Amino acid sequence: MTPQKMEIYEINNYSMLQRIKSKNGEQNNPVLEYEIKVSATRLAALGVNVEDLTL
């Protein structure tokens, strides 16, 4: 997989996780929070600023 495809895949993953989080309301979900952090770390490693992607 090319770095560009990896970046696109991870952006899609991160945005999906953010949509799930926004629909959860005030419900605490530690697994979801962990997955968001992992995805954000992957994006940072690819040089993507996650602040631009946050809802």
Side-chain angles (χ1 to χ4, degrees), residues 14 18 36 40 43-44 47-55:
Y14 183 80
Q18 288 291 344
I36 289 171
L43 285 168
V48 176
N49 183 1
V50 294
E51 298 299 321
D52 295 338
L53 303 175
T54 304
L55 298 173

Side-chain angles (χ1 to χ4, degrees), residues 9-15 17 34-45 50:
Y9 172 81
E10 202 56 51
I11 287 171
N12 288 336
N13 184 52
Y14 183 80
S15 63
L17 293 169
Y34 176 78
E35 291 300 323
I36 289 171
K37 287 180 183 179
V38 168
S39 183
T41 301
R42 288 180 183 145
L43 285 168
V50 294

Side-chain angles (χ1 to χ4, degrees), residues 3-42:
Q4 184 179 18
K5 286 183 180 181
M6 289 172 52
E7 184 177 322
I8 291 168
Y9 172 81
E10 202 56 51
I11 287 171
N12 288 336
N13 184 52
Y14 183 80
S15 63
M16 178 196 59
L17 293 169
Q18 288 291 344
R19 285 192 304 275
I20 292 168
K21 181 179 178 177
S22 71
K23 295 298 179 185
N24 271 349
E26 297 298 317
Q27 183 176 352
N28 184 24
N29 187 335
V31 174
L32 178 60
E33 294 299 325
Y34 176 78
E35 291 300 323
I36 289 171
K37 287 180 183 179
V38 168
S39 183
T41 301
R42 288 180 183 145

